[in-house]
Amino acid sequence: MHPIVNTPPDSSGAAAQPAPPPSSPLRIADYRKFWLARFFQVLASTGMVVIIGYQLYDVARSDYAMSITQASFQLGLLGFAQFLPIFLLTPISGVIADRFDRRRVAGLAMAIDIVVALGLGVATTLEWRSLPVLYVFAAVHGAVRVFVAPSMSAIAPNIVPSDLIPRAIGFNSIAMQAGTIIGPAAFGFLFASHHALPYWIAAVLMALSATSILAIRNLPPVSKDARKAHPLRQIVDGFNFIWRERFLLGCITLDLFAVLLGGATALMPVFARDILHVGPEGLGQMRAATAAGAAVVALWLSFRPLAKNVGVKMLVSVAAYGAMTVGFGLSRSFMVSLGFLALIGAADMISVFIRSSLVQLRTPDDKRGRVSAISGLAISASNELGEMQSGVAAALLGATGAVVFGGTAAIVITAIWAWGFPEIRRARTFAPRWEHAS
């Protein structure tokens, strides 16, 4: 973890006392740089995703004269366009994160994302209003994210002592949720002011993120064994590790299928434009409400991290996520909808915290890049493929029917996983099974 610092002797000739271990991740300089990098990256990325979605839906309705149902289906295709590169590149990204300097991998990926933001800004300014243009940029943005996520996730355990990792995960979540709150809301207002402005701002934020991550100093060097190992063998080892960790496998797949079926994010442009009639500003507030609920829980968990009965708490949180999604789908009041979205974010944050703690505490450092990539693939599958599923369901059931169906399905999935993965119900702590045995 942290290098041992040799303190010089004082004037009397005696060696100075070593500095006490940090009591908080925020007392570690490298962690503060990491936190800022994560915040700026999430702020830019989530803001861009919201604007791309709204812009695509608006173009489909205005320029292509599509019906609400047809335009909703285009949102589903947008989710698939972002997921496909993630699906194809995830095994590679995990190996790269374990074989090379994780700071440089994340920094290079964000440099490419800067090009994406600038390209979207130019296309918007020149009014190249085209669905294919938006799909291509969304796909490249998805490809970039698949390299940023595992590299950054694997950095934190290298700069924070193991006993502070649960608190660090709470602070990481605050950075993520703060970016998710501010990004969509701010970018929605920026888009209403000038359509290209959000993309220019996103490019600046990503440059700040890359600068912060590259400024981290105290990372251990990549082991020679990791560089010598065959990449295909490393990919297989990562999947085998998750398969053996039944609790970890159950948590990842539970989140995957529950959010895949129960996510309402993709259809928010439909609710904002044609159901609640609140426009892009309202869409930003809707996305921010989900993040606000998650941020409140993340702040609480950063000071009072979960430690007992983690399995049952995860099951309850996923079921609550489904129930609140049903409530959002049925609501026709903007304020009530914001309340349900905040509760959705709060419930989801508990699930995210448990899964992230498992990945960090139950995974050896030489596998963290690959395991983080696989976990990220599950998250992306649930989000991006969930958007496709929502678009298809909306085409068949309407936007309201699709959201209500998805929330109900998430509750059913939770019940099935509680039965099929008894390891989740029985889990009391995050400690690996070998620690219980010792």
Side-chain angles (χ1 to χ4, degrees), residues 89-102 105 147 150-151 222 226-227 229-238 366-371 373-374:
L89 296 174
T90 287
I92 300 172
S93 69
V95 170
I96 288 177
D98 284 336
R99 291 173 72 94
F100 300 99
D101 188 320
R102 291 161 178 167
V105 173
F147 288 95
S151 299
V222 179
R227 289 181 178 271
H230 195 284
L232 291 179
R233 180 71 258 175
Q234 287 183 300
I235 292 173
V236 173
D237 286 346
D366 64 333
K367 293 185 177 67
R368 279 201 179 103
R370 283 163 285 168
V371 173
I374 295 169

PDB file of all heavy atoms in Angstrom, residues 89-102 105 147 150-151 222 226-227 229-238 366-371 373-374:
ATOM      1  N   LEU A  89     -14.714  -4.892 -25.994  1.00  0.00           N
ATOM      2  CA  LEU A  89     -13.412  -4.443 -25.515  1.00  0.00           C
ATOM      3  C   LEU A  89     -13.154  -4.707 -24.034  1.00  0.00           C
ATOM      4  O   LEU A  89     -12.021  -4.537 -23.577  1.00  0.00           O
ATOM      5  CB  LEU A  89     -13.250  -2.942 -25.789  1.00  0.00           C
ATOM      6  CG  LEU A  89     -13.244  -2.526 -27.266  1.00  0.00           C
ATOM      7  CD1 LEU A  89     -13.222  -1.009 -27.382  1.00  0.00           C
ATOM      8  CD2 LEU A  89     -12.044  -3.126 -27.992  1.00  0.00           C
ATOM      9  N   THR A  90     -14.170  -5.087 -23.275  1.00  0.00           N
ATOM     10  CA  THR A  90     -13.989  -5.271 -21.827  1.00  0.00           C
ATOM     11  C   THR A  90     -12.878  -6.256 -21.474  1.00  0.00           C
ATOM     12  O   THR A  90     -12.027  -5.954 -20.625  1.00  0.00           O
ATOM     13  CB  THR A  90     -15.311  -5.685 -21.166  1.00  0.00           C
ATOM     14  OG1 THR A  90     -16.177  -4.548 -21.121  1.00  0.00           O
ATOM     15  CG2 THR A  90     -15.087  -6.190 -19.752  1.00  0.00           C
ATOM     16  N   PRO A  91     -12.826  -7.458 -22.063  1.00  0.00           N
ATOM     17  CA  PRO A  91     -11.717  -8.366 -21.700  1.00  0.00           C
ATOM     18  C   PRO A  91     -10.351  -7.759 -21.967  1.00  0.00           C
ATOM     19  O   PRO A  91      -9.417  -7.932 -21.178  1.00  0.00           O
ATOM     20  CB  PRO A  91     -11.973  -9.592 -22.589  1.00  0.00           C
ATOM     21  CG  PRO A  91     -13.431  -9.535 -22.915  1.00  0.00           C
ATOM     22  CD  PRO A  91     -13.745  -8.074 -23.026  1.00  0.00           C
ATOM     23  N   ILE A  92     -10.226  -7.015 -23.060  1.00  0.00           N
ATOM     24  CA  ILE A  92      -8.954  -6.389 -23.388  1.00  0.00           C
ATOM     25  C   ILE A  92      -8.617  -5.284 -22.400  1.00  0.00           C
ATOM     26  O   ILE A  92      -7.475  -5.151 -21.938  1.00  0.00           O
ATOM     27  CB  ILE A  92      -9.003  -5.823 -24.823  1.00  0.00           C
ATOM     28  CG1 ILE A  92      -9.284  -6.935 -25.824  1.00  0.00           C
ATOM     29  CG2 ILE A  92      -7.697  -5.109 -25.174  1.00  0.00           C
ATOM     30  CD1 ILE A  92      -9.536  -6.440 -27.229  1.00  0.00           C
ATOM     31  N   SER A  93      -9.617  -4.473 -22.043  1.00  0.00           N
ATOM     32  CA  SER A  93      -9.361  -3.349 -21.141  1.00  0.00           C
ATOM     33  C   SER A  93      -8.906  -3.816 -19.768  1.00  0.00           C
ATOM     34  O   SER A  93      -8.057  -3.175 -19.138  1.00  0.00           O
ATOM     35  CB  SER A  93     -10.618  -2.482 -21.010  1.00  0.00           C
ATOM     36  OG  SER A  93     -11.646  -3.162 -20.312  1.00  0.00           O
ATOM     37  N   GLY A  94      -9.474  -4.917 -19.279  1.00  0.00           N
ATOM     38  CA  GLY A  94      -9.064  -5.441 -17.980  1.00  0.00           C
ATOM     39  C   GLY A  94      -7.621  -5.903 -17.980  1.00  0.00           C
ATOM     40  O   GLY A  94      -6.863  -5.650 -17.032  1.00  0.00           O
ATOM     41  N   VAL A  95      -7.210  -6.602 -19.037  1.00  0.00           N
ATOM     42  CA  VAL A  95      -5.821  -7.060 -19.148  1.00  0.00           C
ATOM     43  C   VAL A  95      -4.873  -5.873 -19.240  1.00  0.00           C
ATOM     44  O   VAL A  95      -3.817  -5.844 -18.597  1.00  0.00           O
ATOM     45  CB  VAL A  95      -5.662  -7.981 -20.376  1.00  0.00           C
ATOM     46  CG1 VAL A  95      -4.183  -8.267 -20.637  1.00  0.00           C
ATOM     47  CG2 VAL A  95      -6.426  -9.276 -20.166  1.00  0.00           C
ATOM     48  N   ILE A  96      -5.237  -4.864 -20.026  1.00  0.00           N
ATOM     49  CA  ILE A  96      -4.383  -3.673 -20.157  1.00  0.00           C
ATOM     50  C   ILE A  96      -4.219  -2.976 -18.810  1.00  0.00           C
ATOM     51  O   ILE A  96      -3.124  -2.516 -18.459  1.00  0.00           O
ATOM     52  CB  ILE A  96      -4.981  -2.717 -21.211  1.00  0.00           C
ATOM     53  CG1 ILE A  96      -4.791  -3.321 -22.611  1.00  0.00           C
ATOM     54  CG2 ILE A  96      -4.334  -1.334 -21.132  1.00  0.00           C
ATOM     55  CD1 ILE A  96      -5.401  -2.508 -23.719  1.00  0.00           C
ATOM     56  N   ALA A  97      -5.304  -2.907 -18.024  1.00  0.00           N
ATOM     57  CA  ALA A  97      -5.226  -2.267 -16.707  1.00  0.00           C
ATOM     58  C   ALA A  97      -4.310  -3.022 -15.756  1.00  0.00           C
ATOM     59  O   ALA A  97      -3.751  -2.428 -14.824  1.00  0.00           O
ATOM     60  CB  ALA A  97      -6.620  -2.144 -16.099  1.00  0.00           C
ATOM     61  N   ASP A  98      -4.141  -4.341 -15.963  1.00  0.00           N
ATOM     62  CA  ASP A  98      -3.274  -5.136 -15.102  1.00  0.00           C
ATOM     63  C   ASP A  98      -1.845  -5.256 -15.636  1.00  0.00           C
ATOM     64  O   ASP A  98      -0.950  -5.687 -14.907  1.00  0.00           O
ATOM     65  CB  ASP A  98      -3.855  -6.550 -14.920  1.00  0.00           C
ATOM     66  CG  ASP A  98      -5.040  -6.572 -13.959  1.00  0.00           C
ATOM     67  OD1 ASP A  98      -5.127  -5.664 -13.112  1.00  0.00           O
ATOM     68  OD2 ASP A  98      -5.880  -7.480 -14.070  1.00  0.00           O
ATOM     69  N   ARG A  99      -1.623  -4.895 -16.897  1.00  0.00           N
ATOM     70  CA  ARG A  99      -0.301  -5.051 -17.508  1.00  0.00           C
ATOM     71  C   ARG A  99       0.469  -3.729 -17.635  1.00  0.00           C
ATOM     72  O   ARG A  99       1.692  -3.739 -17.753  1.00  0.00           O
ATOM     73  CB  ARG A  99      -0.433  -5.676 -18.901  1.00  0.00           C
ATOM     74  CG  ARG A  99      -0.867  -7.122 -18.896  1.00  0.00           C
ATOM     75  CD  ARG A  99      -1.131  -7.600 -20.321  1.00  0.00           C
ATOM     76  NE  ARG A  99       0.098  -7.758 -21.083  1.00  0.00           N
ATOM     77  CZ  ARG A  99       0.764  -8.912 -21.202  1.00  0.00           C
ATOM     78  NH1 ARG A  99       0.306 -10.005 -20.605  1.00  0.00           N
ATOM     79  NH2 ARG A  99       1.857  -8.988 -21.921  1.00  0.00           N
ATOM     80  N   PHE A 100      -0.241  -2.606 -17.633  1.00  0.00           N
ATOM     81  CA  PHE A 100       0.401  -1.318 -17.878  1.00  0.00           C
ATOM     82  C   PHE A 100       0.075  -0.328 -16.763  1.00  0.00           C
ATOM     83  O   PHE A 100      -0.791  -0.590 -15.921  1.00  0.00           O
ATOM     84  CB  PHE A 100      -0.028  -0.754 -19.235  1.00  0.00           C
ATOM     85  CG  PHE A 100       0.325  -1.641 -20.397  1.00  0.00           C
ATOM     86  CD1 PHE A 100      -0.621  -2.478 -20.966  1.00  0.00           C
ATOM     87  CD2 PHE A 100       1.616  -1.656 -20.909  1.00  0.00           C
ATOM     88  CE1 PHE A 100      -0.299  -3.314 -22.035  1.00  0.00           C
ATOM     89  CE2 PHE A 100       1.949  -2.485 -21.971  1.00  0.00           C
ATOM     90  CZ  PHE A 100       0.986  -3.314 -22.531  1.00  0.00           C
ATOM     91  N   ASP A 101       0.758   0.789 -16.775  1.00  0.00           N
ATOM     92  CA  ASP A 101       0.540   1.847 -15.796  1.00  0.00           C
ATOM     93  C   ASP A 101      -0.905   2.338 -15.902  1.00  0.00           C
ATOM     94  O   ASP A 101      -1.320   2.879 -16.931  1.00  0.00           O
ATOM     95  CB  ASP A 101       1.508   3.003 -16.064  1.00  0.00           C
ATOM     96  CG  ASP A 101       1.478   4.053 -14.971  1.00  0.00           C
ATOM     97  OD1 ASP A 101       0.375   4.371 -14.465  1.00  0.00           O
ATOM     98  OD2 ASP A 101       2.552   4.586 -14.634  1.00  0.00           O
ATOM     99  N   ARG A 102      -1.666   2.142 -14.841  1.00  0.00           N
ATOM    100  CA  ARG A 102      -3.099   2.448 -14.877  1.00  0.00           C
ATOM    101  C   ARG A 102      -3.365   3.935 -15.052  1.00  0.00           C
ATOM    102  O   ARG A 102      -4.384   4.330 -15.611  1.00  0.00           O
ATOM    103  CB  ARG A 102      -3.756   1.913 -13.597  1.00  0.00           C
ATOM    104  CG  ARG A 102      -3.798   0.391 -13.559  1.00  0.00           C
ATOM    105  CD  ARG A 102      -4.009  -0.179 -12.175  1.00  0.00           C
ATOM    106  NE  ARG A 102      -4.078  -1.635 -12.206  1.00  0.00           N
ATOM    107  CZ  ARG A 102      -4.011  -2.416 -11.124  1.00  0.00           C
ATOM    108  NH1 ARG A 102      -3.841  -1.860  -9.927  1.00  0.00           N
ATOM    109  NH2 ARG A 102      -4.096  -3.725 -11.249  1.00  0.00           N
ATOM    110  N   VAL A 105      -3.083   4.621 -18.824  1.00  0.00           N
ATOM    111  CA  VAL A 105      -4.208   4.038 -19.561  1.00  0.00           C
ATOM    112  C   VAL A 105      -5.433   4.941 -19.439  1.00  0.00           C
ATOM    113  O   VAL A 105      -6.090   5.274 -20.432  1.00  0.00           O
ATOM    114  CB  VAL A 105      -4.524   2.624 -19.034  1.00  0.00           C
ATOM    115  CG1 VAL A 105      -5.802   2.083 -19.692  1.00  0.00           C
ATOM    116  CG2 VAL A 105      -3.364   1.676 -19.301  1.00  0.00           C
ATOM    117  N   PHE A 147     -12.190   1.652 -21.043  1.00  0.00           N
ATOM    118  CA  PHE A 147     -10.795   1.679 -20.609  1.00  0.00           C
ATOM    119  C   PHE A 147     -10.594   2.567 -19.381  1.00  0.00           C
ATOM    120  O   PHE A 147      -9.710   2.311 -18.565  1.00  0.00           O
ATOM    121  CB  PHE A 147      -9.901   2.161 -21.756  1.00  0.00           C
ATOM    122  CG  PHE A 147      -9.739   1.148 -22.851  1.00  0.00           C
ATOM    123  CD1 PHE A 147     -10.558   1.179 -23.971  1.00  0.00           C
ATOM    124  CD2 PHE A 147      -8.788   0.144 -22.752  1.00  0.00           C
ATOM    125  CE1 PHE A 147     -10.423   0.231 -24.978  1.00  0.00           C
ATOM    126  CE2 PHE A 147      -8.646  -0.807 -23.754  1.00  0.00           C
ATOM    127  CZ  PHE A 147      -9.467  -0.760 -24.867  1.00  0.00           C
ATOM    128  N   PRO A 150     -12.037   0.445 -15.518  1.00  0.00           N
ATOM    129  CA  PRO A 150     -11.217  -0.513 -14.757  1.00  0.00           C
ATOM    130  C   PRO A 150      -9.880   0.062 -14.316  1.00  0.00           C
ATOM    131  O   PRO A 150      -9.381  -0.285 -13.240  1.00  0.00           O
ATOM    132  CB  PRO A 150     -11.030  -1.671 -15.738  1.00  0.00           C
ATOM    133  CG  PRO A 150     -11.257  -1.094 -17.080  1.00  0.00           C
ATOM    134  CD  PRO A 150     -12.280  -0.011 -16.895  1.00  0.00           C
ATOM    135  N   SER A 151      -9.302   0.939 -15.127  1.00  0.00           N
ATOM    136  CA  SER A 151      -8.015   1.526 -14.751  1.00  0.00           C
ATOM    137  C   SER A 151      -8.151   2.395 -13.506  1.00  0.00           C
ATOM    138  O   SER A 151      -7.363   2.284 -12.561  1.00  0.00           O
ATOM    139  CB  SER A 151      -7.458   2.365 -15.908  1.00  0.00           C
ATOM    140  OG  SER A 151      -7.250   1.563 -17.044  1.00  0.00           O
ATOM    141  N   VAL A 222       4.114  -2.142 -12.066  1.00  0.00           N
ATOM    142  CA  VAL A 222       3.460  -3.354 -12.552  1.00  0.00           C
ATOM    143  C   VAL A 222       4.441  -4.515 -12.450  1.00  0.00           C
ATOM    144  O   VAL A 222       5.611  -4.384 -12.830  1.00  0.00           O
ATOM    145  CB  VAL A 222       2.995  -3.173 -14.014  1.00  0.00           C
ATOM    146  CG1 VAL A 222       2.346  -4.446 -14.529  1.00  0.00           C
ATOM    147  CG2 VAL A 222       2.039  -1.997 -14.116  1.00  0.00           C
ATOM    148  N   ALA A 226       3.011 -10.063 -14.448  1.00  0.00           N
ATOM    149  CA  ALA A 226       1.809  -9.622 -15.143  1.00  0.00           C
ATOM    150  C   ALA A 226       2.106  -9.313 -16.606  1.00  0.00           C
ATOM    151  O   ALA A 226       1.288  -9.581 -17.487  1.00  0.00           O
ATOM    152  CB  ALA A 226       1.232  -8.383 -14.455  1.00  0.00           C
ATOM    153  N   ARG A 227       3.300  -8.761 -16.876  1.00  0.00           N
ATOM    154  CA  ARG A 227       3.653  -8.433 -18.255  1.00  0.00           C
ATOM    155  C   ARG A 227       3.984  -9.686 -19.063  1.00  0.00           C
ATOM    156  O   ARG A 227       3.778  -9.728 -20.277  1.00  0.00           O
ATOM    157  CB  ARG A 227       4.854  -7.481 -18.272  1.00  0.00           C
ATOM    158  CG  ARG A 227       4.529  -6.067 -17.789  1.00  0.00           C
ATOM    159  CD  ARG A 227       5.769  -5.192 -17.866  1.00  0.00           C
ATOM    160  NE  ARG A 227       5.487  -3.826 -17.460  1.00  0.00           N
ATOM    161  CZ  ARG A 227       5.074  -2.872 -18.272  1.00  0.00           C
ATOM    162  NH1 ARG A 227       4.858  -3.155 -19.548  1.00  0.00           N
ATOM    163  NH2 ARG A 227       4.857  -1.648 -17.839  1.00  0.00           N
ATOM    164  N   ALA A 229       2.719 -12.809 -18.516  1.00  0.00           N
ATOM    165  CA  ALA A 229       1.592 -13.730 -18.663  1.00  0.00           C
ATOM    166  C   ALA A 229       0.907 -13.531 -20.011  1.00  0.00           C
ATOM    167  O   ALA A 229       0.828 -12.413 -20.527  1.00  0.00           O
ATOM    168  CB  ALA A 229       0.594 -13.515 -17.529  1.00  0.00           C
ATOM    169  N   HIS A 230       0.393 -14.632 -20.552  1.00  0.00           N
ATOM    170  CA  HIS A 230      -0.298 -14.545 -21.836  1.00  0.00           C
ATOM    171  C   HIS A 230      -1.627 -13.816 -21.645  1.00  0.00           C
ATOM    172  O   HIS A 230      -2.391 -14.124 -20.725  1.00  0.00           O
ATOM    173  CB  HIS A 230      -0.557 -15.939 -22.397  1.00  0.00           C
ATOM    174  CG  HIS A 230      -0.941 -15.944 -23.847  1.00  0.00           C
ATOM    175  ND1 HIS A 230      -2.202 -15.588 -24.278  1.00  0.00           N
ATOM    176  CD2 HIS A 230      -0.225 -16.235 -24.960  1.00  0.00           C
ATOM    177  CE1 HIS A 230      -2.251 -15.667 -25.597  1.00  0.00           C
ATOM    178  NE2 HIS A 230      -1.068 -16.064 -26.042  1.00  0.00           N
ATOM    179  N   PRO A 231      -1.944 -12.844 -22.502  1.00  0.00           N
ATOM    180  CA  PRO A 231      -3.183 -12.069 -22.319  1.00  0.00           C
ATOM    181  C   PRO A 231      -4.442 -12.937 -22.262  1.00  0.00           C
ATOM    182  O   PRO A 231      -5.326 -12.680 -21.440  1.00  0.00           O
ATOM    183  CB  PRO A 231      -3.198 -11.139 -23.537  1.00  0.00           C
ATOM    184  CG  PRO A 231      -1.761 -11.010 -23.924  1.00  0.00           C
ATOM    185  CD  PRO A 231      -1.134 -12.328 -23.616  1.00  0.00           C
ATOM    186  N   LEU A 232      -4.536 -13.955 -23.105  1.00  0.00           N
ATOM    187  CA  LEU A 232      -5.730 -14.809 -23.091  1.00  0.00           C
ATOM    188  C   LEU A 232      -5.840 -15.570 -21.774  1.00  0.00           C
ATOM    189  O   LEU A 232      -6.935 -15.752 -21.236  1.00  0.00           O
ATOM    190  CB  LEU A 232      -5.694 -15.788 -24.272  1.00  0.00           C
ATOM    191  CG  LEU A 232      -5.857 -15.162 -25.664  1.00  0.00           C
ATOM    192  CD1 LEU A 232      -5.777 -16.237 -26.741  1.00  0.00           C
ATOM    193  CD2 LEU A 232      -7.181 -14.413 -25.761  1.00  0.00           C
ATOM    194  N   ARG A 233      -4.686 -15.999 -21.252  1.00  0.00           N
ATOM    195  CA  ARG A 233      -4.688 -16.701 -19.962  1.00  0.00           C
ATOM    196  C   ARG A 233      -5.146 -15.762 -18.853  1.00  0.00           C
ATOM    197  O   ARG A 233      -5.893 -16.170 -17.945  1.00  0.00           O
ATOM    198  CB  ARG A 233      -3.270 -17.190 -19.663  1.00  0.00           C
ATOM    199  CG  ARG A 233      -3.083 -17.944 -18.355  1.00  0.00           C
ATOM    200  CD  ARG A 233      -3.735 -19.312 -18.412  1.00  0.00           C
ATOM    201  NE  ARG A 233      -5.009 -19.336 -17.706  1.00  0.00           N
ATOM    202  CZ  ARG A 233      -5.820 -20.368 -17.686  1.00  0.00           C
ATOM    203  NH1 ARG A 233      -5.515 -21.462 -18.348  1.00  0.00           N
ATOM    204  NH2 ARG A 233      -6.941 -20.327 -17.019  1.00  0.00           N
ATOM    205  N   GLN A 234      -4.738 -14.498 -18.928  1.00  0.00           N
ATOM    206  CA  GLN A 234      -5.159 -13.522 -17.932  1.00  0.00           C
ATOM    207  C   GLN A 234      -6.669 -13.276 -18.002  1.00  0.00           C
ATOM    208  O   GLN A 234      -7.329 -13.130 -16.974  1.00  0.00           O
ATOM    209  CB  GLN A 234      -4.399 -12.211 -18.140  1.00  0.00           C
ATOM    210  CG  GLN A 234      -2.939 -12.267 -17.726  1.00  0.00           C
ATOM    211  CD  GLN A 234      -2.258 -10.924 -17.896  1.00  0.00           C
ATOM    212  OE1 GLN A 234      -2.188 -10.387 -18.998  1.00  0.00           O
ATOM    213  NE2 GLN A 234      -1.761 -10.371 -16.805  1.00  0.00           N
ATOM    214  N   ILE A 235      -7.207 -13.222 -19.208  1.00  0.00           N
ATOM    215  CA  ILE A 235      -8.657 -13.030 -19.345  1.00  0.00           C
ATOM    216  C   ILE A 235      -9.413 -14.183 -18.709  1.00  0.00           C
ATOM    217  O   ILE A 235     -10.361 -13.980 -17.942  1.00  0.00           O
ATOM    218  CB  ILE A 235      -9.027 -12.898 -20.840  1.00  0.00           C
ATOM    219  CG1 ILE A 235      -8.465 -11.594 -21.418  1.00  0.00           C
ATOM    220  CG2 ILE A 235     -10.544 -12.947 -21.029  1.00  0.00           C
ATOM    221  CD1 ILE A 235      -8.630 -11.469 -22.922  1.00  0.00           C
ATOM    222  N   VAL A 236      -8.978 -15.402 -18.995  1.00  0.00           N
ATOM    223  CA  VAL A 236      -9.641 -16.587 -18.432  1.00  0.00           C
ATOM    224  C   VAL A 236      -9.522 -16.598 -16.911  1.00  0.00           C
ATOM    225  O   VAL A 236     -10.484 -16.914 -16.198  1.00  0.00           O
ATOM    226  CB  VAL A 236      -9.038 -17.868 -19.034  1.00  0.00           C
ATOM    227  CG1 VAL A 236      -9.590 -19.105 -18.322  1.00  0.00           C
ATOM    228  CG2 VAL A 236      -9.342 -17.944 -20.530  1.00  0.00           C
ATOM    229  N   ASP A 237      -8.357 -16.233 -16.385  1.00  0.00           N
ATOM    230  CA  ASP A 237      -8.162 -16.209 -14.927  1.00  0.00           C
ATOM    231  C   ASP A 237      -9.125 -15.233 -14.252  1.00  0.00           C
ATOM    232  O   ASP A 237      -9.648 -15.505 -13.169  1.00  0.00           O
ATOM    233  CB  ASP A 237      -6.726 -15.825 -14.589  1.00  0.00           C
ATOM    234  CG  ASP A 237      -5.740 -16.955 -14.865  1.00  0.00           C
ATOM    235  OD1 ASP A 237      -6.205 -18.101 -15.054  1.00  0.00           O
ATOM    236  OD2 ASP A 237      -4.529 -16.688 -14.905  1.00  0.00           O
ATOM    237  N   GLY A 238      -9.355 -14.083 -14.895  1.00  0.00           N
ATOM    238  CA  GLY A 238     -10.280 -13.110 -14.320  1.00  0.00           C
ATOM    239  C   GLY A 238     -11.696 -13.654 -14.225  1.00  0.00           C
ATOM    240  O   GLY A 238     -12.368 -13.520 -13.192  1.00  0.00           O
ATOM    241  N   ASP A 366      -3.264  -8.076  -8.481  1.00  0.00           N
ATOM    242  CA  ASP A 366      -2.879  -8.430  -9.844  1.00  0.00           C
ATOM    243  C   ASP A 366      -4.073  -8.807 -10.712  1.00  0.00           C
ATOM    244  O   ASP A 366      -3.942  -8.965 -11.929  1.00  0.00           O
ATOM    245  CB  ASP A 366      -1.864  -9.580  -9.835  1.00  0.00           C
ATOM    246  CG  ASP A 366      -2.445 -10.868  -9.267  1.00  0.00           C
ATOM    247  OD1 ASP A 366      -3.384 -10.792  -8.438  1.00  0.00           O
ATOM    248  OD2 ASP A 366      -1.968 -11.949  -9.655  1.00  0.00           O
ATOM    249  N   LYS A 367      -5.265  -8.931 -10.104  1.00  0.00           N
ATOM    250  CA  LYS A 367      -6.481  -9.250 -10.865  1.00  0.00           C
ATOM    251  C   LYS A 367      -7.501  -8.116 -10.833  1.00  0.00           C
ATOM    252  O   LYS A 367      -8.562  -8.223 -11.441  1.00  0.00           O
ATOM    253  CB  LYS A 367      -7.142 -10.519 -10.311  1.00  0.00           C
ATOM    254  CG  LYS A 367      -6.342 -11.795 -10.503  1.00  0.00           C
ATOM    255  CD  LYS A 367      -7.155 -12.998 -10.015  1.00  0.00           C
ATOM    256  CE  LYS A 367      -6.406 -14.301 -10.268  1.00  0.00           C
ATOM    257  NZ  LYS A 367      -5.200 -14.426  -9.453  1.00  0.00           N
ATOM    258  N   ARG A 368      -7.200  -7.038 -10.139  1.00  0.00           N
ATOM    259  CA  ARG A 368      -8.217  -5.990  -9.944  1.00  0.00           C
ATOM    260  C   ARG A 368      -8.652  -5.352 -11.255  1.00  0.00           C
ATOM    261  O   ARG A 368      -9.824  -5.017 -11.419  1.00  0.00           O
ATOM    262  CB  ARG A 368      -7.690  -4.908  -8.997  1.00  0.00           C
ATOM    263  CG  ARG A 368      -7.800  -5.288  -7.530  1.00  0.00           C
ATOM    264  CD  ARG A 368      -7.766  -4.077  -6.615  1.00  0.00           C
ATOM    265  NE  ARG A 368      -7.890  -4.505  -5.231  1.00  0.00           N
ATOM    266  CZ  ARG A 368      -6.872  -4.577  -4.382  1.00  0.00           C
ATOM    267  NH1 ARG A 368      -5.655  -4.242  -4.787  1.00  0.00           N
ATOM    268  NH2 ARG A 368      -7.054  -4.969  -3.144  1.00  0.00           N
ATOM    269  N   GLY A 369      -7.722  -5.152 -12.179  1.00  0.00           N
ATOM    270  CA  GLY A 369      -8.106  -4.557 -13.452  1.00  0.00           C
ATOM    271  C   GLY A 369      -9.111  -5.419 -14.190  1.00  0.00           C
ATOM    272  O   GLY A 369     -10.130  -4.934 -14.687  1.00  0.00           O
ATOM    273  N   ARG A 370      -8.848  -6.736 -14.238  1.00  0.00           N
ATOM    274  CA  ARG A 370      -9.745  -7.631 -14.960  1.00  0.00           C
ATOM    275  C   ARG A 370     -11.093  -7.778 -14.265  1.00  0.00           C
ATOM    276  O   ARG A 370     -12.150  -7.745 -14.911  1.00  0.00           O
ATOM    277  CB  ARG A 370      -9.076  -9.009 -15.113  1.00  0.00           C
ATOM    278  CG  ARG A 370      -8.003  -9.054 -16.185  1.00  0.00           C
ATOM    279  CD  ARG A 370      -7.102 -10.254 -16.026  1.00  0.00           C
ATOM    280  NE  ARG A 370      -6.161 -10.064 -14.915  1.00  0.00           N
ATOM    281  CZ  ARG A 370      -5.410 -11.040 -14.409  1.00  0.00           C
ATOM    282  NH1 ARG A 370      -5.504 -12.270 -14.888  1.00  0.00           N
ATOM    283  NH2 ARG A 370      -4.575 -10.788 -13.434  1.00  0.00           N
ATOM    284  N   VAL A 371     -11.070  -7.929 -12.937  1.00  0.00           N
ATOM    285  CA  VAL A 371     -12.330  -8.076 -12.210  1.00  0.00           C
ATOM    286  C   VAL A 371     -13.138  -6.782 -12.279  1.00  0.00           C
ATOM    287  O   VAL A 371     -14.369  -6.815 -12.455  1.00  0.00           O
ATOM    288  CB  VAL A 371     -12.062  -8.489 -10.746  1.00  0.00           C
ATOM    289  CG1 VAL A 371     -13.350  -8.486  -9.939  1.00  0.00           C
ATOM    290  CG2 VAL A 371     -11.419  -9.876 -10.706  1.00  0.00           C
ATOM    291  N   ALA A 373     -13.041  -4.698 -14.719  1.00  0.00           N
ATOM    292  CA  ALA A 373     -13.561  -4.622 -16.079  1.00  0.00           C
ATOM    293  C   ALA A 373     -14.801  -5.491 -16.238  1.00  0.00           C
ATOM    294  O   ALA A 373     -15.785  -5.084 -16.872  1.00  0.00           O
ATOM    295  CB  ALA A 373     -12.482  -5.048 -17.075  1.00  0.00           C
ATOM    296  N   ILE A 374     -14.768  -6.700 -15.677  1.00  0.00           N
ATOM    297  CA  ILE A 374     -15.928  -7.591 -15.778  1.00  0.00           C
ATOM    298  C   ILE A 374     -17.115  -7.008 -15.017  1.00  0.00           C
ATOM    299  O   ILE A 374     -18.256  -7.037 -15.495  1.00  0.00           O
ATOM    300  CB  ILE A 374     -15.570  -8.990 -15.248  1.00  0.00           C
ATOM    301  CG1 ILE A 374     -14.492  -9.628 -16.142  1.00  0.00           C
ATOM    302  CG2 ILE A 374     -16.803  -9.886 -15.191  1.00  0.00           C
ATOM    303  CD1 ILE A 374     -13.881 -10.881 -15.573  1.00  0.00           C
TER     304      ILE A 374
END
